[in-house]
Amino acid sequence: MNSQVHTGQLTLNLILLCLVLGIGGTFQYGLHISLINSPAEHIQKFINNTWQHRYGSPLHPDKITLFWTFIVSVFSIGGLLGSLIVGYLSVRFGRKKTQLFNNVFALLGAALMMLSPVAKSFEMIIAGRFLYGVNAGVSLNLHTMYIGECAPKRLRGISVTVSLFIALGKLMGFVVGLREFLGSETLWPYLMAFSAVPALIQLLTLPFFPESPRYLLIDKGNKKDCLKAMQQLWGTGDHVVEIDDMLAEKNTLEGKPMKSIRDLLMERCVHWQMISIVLTSGAIQLTGINAVYFYAYDVFRNAGIPTPQIPFVSLGIGVTEALTTVLCGFVIDRLGRKPLLWINYGVITVTLSFLTATLSLQDLYSWMPYFSSALIFIFTLSFGLGPGGVCCVIPTEMFVQSYRPAAYALIGILNWIGLFVLAVSFPFMEAALGAFCFVFFIIFCICMAVFSFLILPETKNRSILEIVESFNQMNFKHQKRNAVCSTRL
């Protein structure tokens, strides 16, 4: 065959794959992060009425709160389970089949939500939230891995769409949760079952797209199907450069088993890669993004925005995050990963420092809440353009195929544990420290700005093995250059 396209290009099929993976992938995670706040009052009333119908007496308010807290937190427990099983499933059944099957969890969860009022069972809501968590836990890791492996070298920044769909999911959760849509007392079961819509869309459309080319060639050794997948996603041509890179990686892994999380933590040859993904992706909650959202309502109210209008202003935060993530997708393969990280971590540090001051002084000066509102939007912009977008790109680039599923599983576990711990601990931190609770996030962001600038290697426009070699220079800095490692050339 005559070569027409030697390196992958952005085609309509690749764009459509991003949309299809996103709608049934991390969109679900973002949706459930924001959607659960809207029906809280209605679900708590349903719990009390159900209890009274069963036992003849109402529940104590503290027990209602306890049940509600469990409904919220069980999502993280399901997410943790999803993160634990995604590595095995993605290797055993492939990225595509696992993603398709994962929609079953969302559909079952939606069915339980819809039937809970009919069955007069709030336990079904708990079970549904757990299944939603499993779905989100698998998707959060698998979506990132799948799209990263489907992107050609010069377009790996397309993995930013993972963060884009998280932002779009949050935005959709805000929208459908409004009282004018599905947030009313009569429609909340439909709101809680909304996940069935993106799940069905992906089930009907993903079968028309190929398996990950990297999985087909490196894991399955099927060069013919790999080339066919490349041509479907990247355009016609022999794509010899990309195939040679994959074959070189496959040769280094010949006879090597897939690695576990324990291998990832223990083996010296991936020491700095592991540290890098833990800090940039696994610890993303420490940027303070959810803490800022926590304060947003009070800040907007103190700025004089009428209470009924505050949800619409909050929509503006979601729109800002989505738009900046799109912008990150356009610039990440031009500017590189390092500048976007250290510059925006620096901006976040400054923004959180000012926000700590303005929140502390907003009762003294009438104009201070407006300043705080502006800072919240600046923070959201920097998060989407920096850590929020880049954290979905670099894990795919830092590991060869044998380590990648374990790396994503580790990131997922840390994310879900971080989300759970922050949800439980932050209200107590805020009560004890007030606005000064941001100090912990400021310290982390300062450290990340320094780490990104001084230590993290740039990965833009480099093959996986070239990136691995850069890390090997750090991993074996004090050892002989002939140190044995399965990831070395």
Side-chain angles (χ1 to χ4, degrees):
M1 184 196 318
N2 293 327
S3 177
Q4 299 173 24
V5 180
H6 293 281
T7 57
Q9 57 185 348
L10 187 61
T11 64
L12 177 61
N13 279 344
L14 188 57
I15 294 172
L16 290 176
L17 178 62
C18 290
L19 294 175
V20 170
L21 285 180
I23 196 67
T26 51
F27 180 88
Q28 297 276 34
Y29 170 79
L31 180 70
H32 289 292
I33 290 295
S34 63
L35 179 144
I36 191 62
N37 296 315
S38 176
E41 179 183 347
H42 307 315
I43 293 177
Q44 290 179 50
K45 183 178 178 180
F46 171 70
I47 292 171
N48 189 44
N49 290 341
T50 301
W51 189 274
Q52 190 166 4
H53 175 78
R54 289 180 186 175
Y55 305 108
S57 61
L59 265 175
H60 189 276
D62 289 344
K63 289 188 176 180
I64 295 176
T65 303
L66 181 63
F67 277 119
W68 172 247
T69 302
F70 189 63
I71 287 173
V72 173
S73 60
V74 76
F75 179 71
S76 297
I77 298 173
L80 181 60
L81 176 61
S83 295
L84 289 171
I85 64 175
V86 66
Y88 168 78
L89 293 177
S90 65
V91 174
R92 177 68 177 81
F93 299 106
R95 287 36 165 169
K96 180 179 174 179
K97 288 181 180 179
T98 302
Q99 186 66 60
L100 283 169
F101 176 76
N102 188 44
N103 290 292
V104 174
F105 292 115
L107 293 174
L108 288 175
L112 289 172
M113 295 296 184
M114 282 291 293
L115 294 173
S116 59
V118 178
K120 298 187 183 302
S121 170
F122 59 83
E123 294 88 352
M124 293 174 70
I125 299 177
I126 295 173
R129 280 282 291 178
F130 175 78
L131 290 173
Y132 280 160
V134 175
N135 170 267
V138 172
S139 291
L140 197 59
N141 299 314
L142 186 60
H143 177 190
T144 314
M145 191 190 316
Y146 194 169
I147 194 62
E149 292 182 353
C150 286
K153 180 167 62 177
R154 69 183 187 88
L155 292 176
R156 286 200 301 257
I158 205 171
S159 296
V160 167
T161 55
V162 172
S163 293
L164 171 62
F165 277 95
I166 293 177
L168 291 175
K170 291 178 183 178
L171 186 60
M172 181 60 74
F174 280 126
V175 171
V176 297
L178 293 172
R179 293 181 183 275
E180 291 80 358
F181 289 93
L182 299 177
S184 65
E185 186 172 0
T186 56
L187 295 178
W188 70 260
Y190 297 93
L191 174 65
M192 296 298 290
F194 188 78
S195 271
V197 176
L200 285 172
I201 291 174
Q202 188 177 79
L203 269 177
L204 294 174
T205 54
L206 186 57
F208 295 99
F209 293 90
E211 176 61 89
S212 152
R214 297 188 67 86
Y215 176 80
L216 290 170
L217 182 57
I218 299 176
D219 287 84
K220 294 300 183 182
N222 193 330
K223 185 176 179 180
K224 180 181 178 181
D225 284 351
C226 171
L227 179 58
K228 184 179 178 182
M230 286 179 169
Q231 291 172 338
Q232 182 178 348
L233 294 174
W234 305 349
T236 57
D238 56 17
H239 303 288
V240 64
V241 175
E242 297 280 353
I243 288 180
D244 286 346
D245 285 343
M246 292 184 195
L247 288 174
E249 181 179 339
K250 179 178 172 61
N251 290 335
T252 66
L253 301 175
E254 204 68 47
K256 305 292 183 181
M258 296 300 293
K259 302 295 183 177
S260 65
I261 294 179
R262 182 179 181 278
D263 296 325
L264 188 66
L265 296 173
M266 300 298 294
E267 293 188 1
R268 181 70 184 178
C269 58
V270 289
H271 179 71
W272 276 105
Q273 290 100 309
M274 185 269 295
I275 291 175
S276 297
I277 63 161
V278 166
L279 292 177
T280 57
S281 302
I284 196 70
Q285 300 294 337
L286 295 179
T287 57
I289 182 66
N290 288 321
V292 170
Y293 281 159
F294 179 86
Y295 270 99
Y297 183 90
D298 289 336
V299 168
F300 294 146
R301 183 187 58 195
N302 292 332
I305 298 171
T307 300
Q309 303 302 317
I310 290 177
F312 294 96
V313 180
S314 298
L315 280 178
I317 298 179
V319 172
T320 301
E321 185 177 347
L323 291 177
T324 53
T325 306
V326 172
L327 178 60
C328 181
F330 280 111
V331 302
I332 191 170
D333 283 319
R334 294 176 175 85
L335 301 180
R337 287 60 163 153
K338 278 174 68 78
L340 289 178
L341 280 177
W342 72 262
I343 291 173
N344 284 289
Y345 268 121
V347 174
I348 289 172
T349 299
V350 174
T351 304
L352 287 180
S353 299
F354 276 112
L355 191 58
T356 300
T358 58
L359 288 174
S360 302
L361 299 173
Q362 68 178 5
D363 293 331
L364 300 178
Y365 303 97
S366 59
W367 52 270
M368 198 64 74
Y370 297 97
F371 193 14
S372 299
S373 299
L375 289 171
I376 288 174
F377 278 93
I378 293 171
F379 174 92
T380 306
L381 187 151
S382 296
F383 176 80
L385 190 58
V390 178
C391 73
C392 296
V393 178
I394 55 179
T396 300
E397 301 177 319
M398 289 186 178
F399 295 94
V400 292
Q401 198 81 352
S402 58
Y403 283 96
R404 195 170 293 125
Y408 277 108
L410 177 62
I411 292 170
I413 291 168
L414 292 175
N415 265 317
W416 287 105
I417 292 176
L419 186 65
F420 180 80
V421 170
L422 190 65
V424 172
S425 63
F426 184 75
F428 298 100
M429 291 170 55
E430 191 276 332
L433 301 174
F436 289 95
C437 64
F438 286 121
V439 170
F440 299 103
F441 305 120
I442 291 171
I443 293 172
F444 174 77
C445 290
I446 291 173
C447 294
M448 284 305 301
V450 173
F451 175 82
S452 302
F453 183 74
L454 296 179
I455 299 175
L456 189 69
E458 180 58 77
T459 59
K460 181 185 73 169
N461 290 334
R462 303 175 69 189
S463 71
I464 302 297
L465 291 181
E466 289 171 342
I467 297 168
V468 168
E469 185 59 29
S470 296
F471 276 104
N472 281 336
Q473 294 174 14
M474 300 162 61
N475 293 329
F476 300 103
K477 186 175 182 180
H478 301 295
Q479 298 182 22
K480 293 181 179 180
R481 291 294 296 165
N482 62 355
V484 177
C485 174
S486 63
T487 64
R488 293 177 67 85
L489 286 167

